[in-house]
Amino acid sequence: PRFLFLCSPSAVFVATAAMGKLHGSLARAGKVRGQTPKVAKQEKKKDPKGRALKRLKYNRRFVNVVVGFGKKRGPNSNS
């Protein structure tokens, strides 16, 4: 960002302040994605839409609830 410092009416100084440095050079941008092998997408069953999706969510949240001891698991936990 640029800061404008006014010292006197005739002299105006514009200073560029380097608040934070970049993490690494931009020459290495996209390095990891570029060197990972391309894997083709797999065919999968289509997701339900509309009423069927609402039904699936309801069943997942309120019907198939496993009541156990300990901390409640979130919807994205794989344990």
Side-chain angles (χ1 to χ4, degrees):
R2 293 186 178 269
F3 293 104
L4 194 66
F5 297 107
L6 293 173
C7 297
S8 66
S10 61
V12 175
F13 299 103
V14 177
T16 304
M19 292 301 225
K21 303 275 188 199
L22 260 77
H23 290 281
S25 78
L26 292 177
R28 292 196 295 269
K31 169 183 174 282
V32 174
R33 187 178 176 191
Q35 69 187 6
T36 50
K38 176 79 174 131
V39 179
K41 294 225 173 169
Q42 295 178 341
E43 283 191 33
K44 59 180 182 178
K45 211 167 81 173
K46 77 174 185 72
D47 293 328
K49 311 248 186 307
R51 176 200 50 79
L53 181 65
K54 295 277 188 192
R55 179 175 176 235
L56 187 109
K57 281 184 182 175
Y58 171 79
N59 286 333
R60 196 181 286 158
R61 290 179 187 169
F62 303 110
V63 178
N64 299 344
V65 180
V66 178
V67 180
F69 60 92
K71 196 172 177 182
K72 185 181 175 295
R73 296 183 331 168
N76 201 30
S77 72
N78 291 324
S79 60

